[in-house]
Amino acid sequence: MPVFPAKTPKLIQLLFPKYIWKKESLDKTIYLTFDDGPTPEITQWTLNTLKQYNAKATFFCIGDNVKKFPDIFNAVVEAGHVVGNHTFNHLLGWRTNTEQYVANTEKAQDVIALKSKKLFRPPFGKIKGSQAKILLKRGYKIVMWSVLSYDWEVKVSQEKCLKNVINHATSGSIVVFHDSIKASKNMQYTLPKVLEYYSKKGYQFKSL
């Protein structure tokens, strides 16, 4: 079951001020993000759904997936979305030595270098201080989140996934979804409803 709360506590944000947890926004804007793609079975559906609402998002891509599915990756970019780095092999930072972790991140960056702003999201949200220090020094912006949908968690129902977002996301929130097979059931139920719900309230969706 969930380890992190759906809404990131302010204390956590204050403890790690060098990470990006939300965006200051004077207008009604929400920042949707999608981790773990590109995925042949899911990513194009995600792009089509976002397009229906003129929504832009940020896709944190796994380097190995980019290498395997370059056409899908290019479709993300051509649709006007921003892409970020999610390591080459979806490494868990807490269980990976710093040298290997940084090298794996740079390997992913080499694949997406021409398309990326050097945005980085650590898989699982777990990164050592030593790893973060080096990446920040090398110009990466470490992007975390304000709200977790928990779309990947099989014990979280579709309805709960939706509530995780609409009960917590406000202007400036960075919301985490996944364009992965594992998360597809919850994500494909929740995303259209989130887009419709906030669009009716006058919100827009932008990339980071």
Side-chain angles (χ1 to χ4, degrees):
M1 287 299 288
V3 175
F4 300 113
K7 182 178 180 180
T8 304
K10 289 185 178 179
L11 177 60
I12 298 297
Q13 299 178 39
L14 292 172
L15 288 173
F16 300 96
K18 292 184 179 180
Y19 302 168
I20 299 172
W21 297 95
K22 62 181 180 178
K23 295 276 287 185
E24 295 300 328
S25 180
L26 298 177
D27 54 8
K28 289 184 172 182
T29 302
I30 287 177
Y31 300 87
L32 301 178
T33 64
F34 296 86
D35 292 0
D36 296 355
T39 306
E41 298 86 349
I42 307 299
T43 302
Q44 190 59 58
W45 177 92
T46 305
L47 295 176
N48 294 341
T49 304
L50 292 170
K51 185 178 181 180
Q52 292 176 28
Y53 292 86
N54 194 30
K56 299 303 180 186
T58 305
F59 288 75
F60 287 93
C61 299
I62 296 173
D64 192 40
N65 285 349
V66 173
K67 189 174 181 180
K68 290 176 180 176
F69 312 113
D71 290 345
I72 303 173
F73 175 74
N74 288 333
V76 173
V77 176
E78 290 167 4
H81 303 289
V82 168
V83 293
N85 187 327
H86 203 45
T87 73
F88 195 85
N89 299 108
H90 203 258
L91 296 185
L92 175 55
W94 292 359
R95 295 181 182 175
T96 309
N97 71 62
T98 296
E99 183 178 357
Q100 180 185 354
Y101 191 84
V102 171
N104 197 270
T105 300
E106 294 283 28
K107 183 178 180 180
Q109 193 65 24
D110 287 343
V111 177
I112 63 176
L114 298 177
K115 313 283 178 65
S116 174
K117 294 182 177 181
K118 292 195 90 170
L119 300 178
F120 176 74
R121 174 172 285 158
F124 311 100
K126 297 176 180 179
I127 184 171
K128 295 177 183 176
S130 58
Q131 296 161 348
K133 183 177 180 180
I134 293 173
L135 293 178
L136 288 168
K137 189 174 182 179
R138 294 188 182 185
Y140 287 90
K141 293 181 179 179
I142 299 177
V143 181
M144 302 301 269
W145 57 79
S146 312
V147 177
L148 287 172
S149 68
Y150 272 103
D151 54 351
W152 77 92
E153 176 55 70
V154 296
K155 294 182 180 180
V156 170
S157 69
Q158 294 174 327
E159 293 77 15
K160 176 60 175 173
C161 182
L162 176 60
K163 288 180 180 179
N164 284 341
V165 180
I166 64 176
N167 286 353
H168 299 299
T170 58
S171 188
S173 291
I174 298 173
V175 181
V176 177
F177 285 107
H178 293 75
D179 55 328
S180 67
I181 293 173
K182 181 179 181 181
S184 62
K185 182 179 178 181
N186 281 347
M187 193 274 281
Q188 290 181 313
Y189 172 86
T190 301
L191 179 61
K193 290 177 172 56
V194 166
L195 290 166
E196 181 177 5
Y197 177 85
Y198 283 100
S199 293
K200 286 182 176 178
K201 290 181 174 292
Y203 280 80
Q204 56 187 333
F205 301 90
K206 294 182 180 179
S207 54
L208 294 169

Short mmCIF file of all heavy atoms in Angstrom, two decimals, residues 12 22 37 44 56 78 83 85 90 95 97 106 113 119 139-140 153 172-173 195-196 200 204 207:
data_model
loop_
_atom_site.label_atom_id
_atom_site.label_comp_id
_atom_site.label_asym_id
_atom_site.label_seq_id
_atom_site.Cartn_x
_atom_site.Cartn_y
_atom_site.Cartn_z
N ILE A 12 8.15 18.18 4.09
CA ILE A 12 9.05 17.48 3.18
C ILE A 12 9.61 18.46 2.14
O ILE A 12 10.80 18.43 1.81
CB ILE A 12 8.32 16.32 2.47
CG1 ILE A 12 7.84 15.28 3.49
CG2 ILE A 12 9.23 15.67 1.42
CD1 ILE A 12 8.95 14.61 4.25
N LYS A 22 6.51 22.05 -6.69
CA LYS A 22 5.34 22.70 -7.29
C LYS A 22 5.84 23.92 -8.06
O LYS A 22 7.02 24.28 -8.00
CB LYS A 22 4.34 23.12 -6.22
CG LYS A 22 4.89 24.14 -5.22
CD LYS A 22 3.86 24.48 -4.17
CE LYS A 22 4.43 25.50 -3.17
NZ LYS A 22 3.43 25.89 -2.15
N GLY A 37 7.56 6.04 -19.51
CA GLY A 37 7.41 5.77 -20.94
C GLY A 37 8.72 6.00 -21.69
O GLY A 37 9.77 6.14 -21.07
N GLN A 44 0.62 6.60 -26.81
CA GLN A 44 -0.16 7.27 -27.86
C GLN A 44 -1.58 7.57 -27.38
O GLN A 44 -2.13 8.63 -27.69
CB GLN A 44 -0.20 6.41 -29.13
CG GLN A 44 -0.79 7.15 -30.33
CD GLN A 44 -0.03 8.41 -30.68
OE1 GLN A 44 1.17 8.37 -30.96
NE2 GLN A 44 -0.70 9.55 -30.67
N LYS A 56 -0.92 20.30 -22.31
CA LYS A 56 0.49 19.96 -22.44
C LYS A 56 0.96 19.34 -21.13
O LYS A 56 0.48 19.68 -20.05
CB LYS A 56 1.33 21.19 -22.78
CG LYS A 56 0.94 21.85 -24.10
CD LYS A 56 1.02 20.89 -25.27
CE LYS A 56 0.62 21.57 -26.58
NZ LYS A 56 0.55 20.62 -27.71
N GLU A 78 6.87 15.93 -30.77
CA GLU A 78 6.18 16.61 -31.87
C GLU A 78 4.81 17.13 -31.46
O GLU A 78 4.29 18.08 -32.06
CB GLU A 78 6.07 15.66 -33.06
CG GLU A 78 7.41 15.39 -33.74
CD GLU A 78 7.37 14.22 -34.71
OE1 GLU A 78 6.27 13.67 -34.92
OE2 GLU A 78 8.44 13.86 -35.24
N VAL A 83 9.99 16.71 -22.40
CA VAL A 83 10.48 15.41 -21.93
C VAL A 83 11.59 15.60 -20.90
O VAL A 83 12.35 16.56 -20.96
CB VAL A 83 10.99 14.52 -23.09
CG1 VAL A 83 9.84 14.13 -24.00
CG2 VAL A 83 12.07 15.24 -23.89
N ASN A 85 14.24 13.27 -17.87
CA ASN A 85 15.08 12.10 -17.67
C ASN A 85 14.60 11.32 -16.44
O ASN A 85 14.38 11.88 -15.37
CB ASN A 85 16.52 12.60 -17.46
CG ASN A 85 17.56 11.51 -17.41
OD1 ASN A 85 17.30 10.42 -16.93
ND2 ASN A 85 18.76 11.83 -17.87
N HIS A 90 15.60 2.83 -14.93
CA HIS A 90 14.67 2.96 -13.81
C HIS A 90 15.31 2.49 -12.50
O HIS A 90 14.78 1.64 -11.77
CB HIS A 90 13.38 2.17 -14.08
CG HIS A 90 12.20 2.67 -13.30
ND1 HIS A 90 11.74 2.05 -12.16
CD2 HIS A 90 11.38 3.74 -13.49
CE1 HIS A 90 10.69 2.70 -11.69
NE2 HIS A 90 10.45 3.73 -12.47
N ARG A 95 19.41 2.15 -3.55
CA ARG A 95 20.09 0.86 -3.63
C ARG A 95 21.19 0.84 -4.70
O ARG A 95 21.69 -0.23 -5.07
CB ARG A 95 19.08 -0.25 -3.94
CG ARG A 95 18.05 -0.45 -2.83
CD ARG A 95 17.09 -1.57 -3.17
NE ARG A 95 16.07 -1.75 -2.14
CZ ARG A 95 15.05 -2.59 -2.22
NH1 ARG A 95 14.91 -3.35 -3.31
NH2 ARG A 95 14.16 -2.69 -1.25
N ASN A 97 24.90 2.60 -6.09
CA ASN A 97 25.99 3.49 -5.69
C ASN A 97 25.96 4.75 -6.56
O ASN A 97 25.46 4.76 -7.68
CB ASN A 97 27.35 2.78 -5.76
CG ASN A 97 27.81 2.51 -7.18
OD1 ASN A 97 28.03 3.43 -7.98
ND2 ASN A 97 27.99 1.25 -7.53
N GLU A 106 23.19 9.97 -16.93
CA GLU A 106 23.84 10.62 -18.07
C GLU A 106 23.65 9.81 -19.35
O GLU A 106 23.52 10.37 -20.44
CB GLU A 106 25.33 10.82 -17.78
CG GLU A 106 25.64 11.80 -16.65
CD GLU A 106 25.50 13.26 -17.05
OE1 GLU A 106 24.71 13.57 -17.96
OE2 GLU A 106 26.20 14.09 -16.45
N ALA A 113 19.07 14.11 -25.21
CA ALA A 113 19.75 15.39 -24.98
C ALA A 113 19.20 16.54 -25.80
O ALA A 113 19.03 17.65 -25.30
CB ALA A 113 21.24 15.24 -25.24
N LEU A 119 15.62 18.15 -17.15
CA LEU A 119 14.73 17.88 -16.03
C LEU A 119 14.92 16.43 -15.63
O LEU A 119 15.02 15.55 -16.49
CB LEU A 119 13.28 18.11 -16.43
CG LEU A 119 12.89 19.51 -16.91
CD1 LEU A 119 11.42 19.53 -17.31
CD2 LEU A 119 13.16 20.55 -15.83
N GLY A 139 23.76 20.68 -13.61
CA GLY A 139 22.72 21.46 -14.28
C GLY A 139 21.35 20.82 -14.37
O GLY A 139 20.45 21.37 -15.01
N TYR A 140 21.16 19.68 -13.73
CA TYR A 140 19.85 19.05 -13.73
C TYR A 140 18.92 19.75 -12.72
O TYR A 140 19.37 20.20 -11.66
CB TYR A 140 19.95 17.57 -13.34
CG TYR A 140 20.55 16.69 -14.40
CD1 TYR A 140 21.92 16.46 -14.43
CD2 TYR A 140 19.74 16.08 -15.36
CE1 TYR A 140 22.49 15.64 -15.41
CE2 TYR A 140 20.30 15.27 -16.33
CZ TYR A 140 21.67 15.05 -16.35
OH TYR A 140 22.22 14.25 -17.32
N GLU A 153 -0.46 1.67 -8.30
CA GLU A 153 -0.67 0.80 -7.14
C GLU A 153 -1.93 -0.05 -7.34
O GLU A 153 -3.05 0.47 -7.38
CB GLU A 153 -0.79 1.65 -5.87
CG GLU A 153 -1.11 0.88 -4.61
CD GLU A 153 -0.14 -0.24 -4.34
OE1 GLU A 153 1.02 0.04 -4.00
OE2 GLU A 153 -0.57 -1.42 -4.47
N GLY A 172 -0.73 25.31 -9.69
CA GLY A 172 0.70 25.16 -9.43
C GLY A 172 1.11 23.75 -9.07
O GLY A 172 2.31 23.45 -8.99
N SER A 173 0.13 22.85 -8.87
CA SER A 173 0.45 21.48 -8.48
C SER A 173 1.13 20.71 -9.62
O SER A 173 0.78 20.87 -10.78
CB SER A 173 -0.82 20.72 -8.08
OG SER A 173 -1.35 21.21 -6.87
N LEU A 195 -8.91 15.79 -16.54
CA LEU A 195 -8.89 16.82 -17.57
C LEU A 195 -10.24 17.52 -17.67
O LEU A 195 -10.32 18.75 -17.78
CB LEU A 195 -8.49 16.20 -18.90
CG LEU A 195 -7.04 15.74 -19.03
CD1 LEU A 195 -6.86 14.83 -20.25
CD2 LEU A 195 -6.09 16.92 -19.11
N GLU A 196 -11.30 16.75 -17.64
CA GLU A 196 -12.63 17.33 -17.75
C GLU A 196 -12.98 18.15 -16.50
O GLU A 196 -13.49 19.28 -16.60
CB GLU A 196 -13.67 16.23 -17.95
CG GLU A 196 -15.09 16.75 -18.10
CD GLU A 196 -16.10 15.65 -18.37
OE1 GLU A 196 -15.70 14.46 -18.35
OE2 GLU A 196 -17.28 15.97 -18.59
N LYS A 200 -13.43 22.33 -16.72
CA LYS A 200 -14.71 22.98 -16.42
C LYS A 200 -14.55 24.07 -15.36
O LYS A 200 -15.37 25.00 -15.29
CB LYS A 200 -15.72 21.93 -15.96
CG LYS A 200 -16.26 21.05 -17.07
CD LYS A 200 -17.29 20.08 -16.55
CE LYS A 200 -17.90 19.25 -17.69
NZ LYS A 200 -18.89 18.27 -17.19
N GLN A 204 -5.97 25.33 -16.93
CA GLN A 204 -5.23 24.89 -18.11
C GLN A 204 -4.12 23.97 -17.65
O GLN A 204 -3.73 23.97 -16.47
CB GLN A 204 -4.67 26.09 -18.86
CG GLN A 204 -3.80 27.01 -18.04
CD GLN A 204 -3.41 28.27 -18.79
OE1 GLN A 204 -3.36 28.27 -20.02
NE2 GLN A 204 -3.13 29.35 -18.07
N SER A 207 3.16 22.17 -19.59
CA SER A 207 4.37 21.39 -19.31
C SER A 207 5.30 22.23 -18.45
O SER A 207 5.15 23.46 -18.35
CB SER A 207 5.06 21.00 -20.62
OG SER A 207 5.30 22.13 -21.41
#
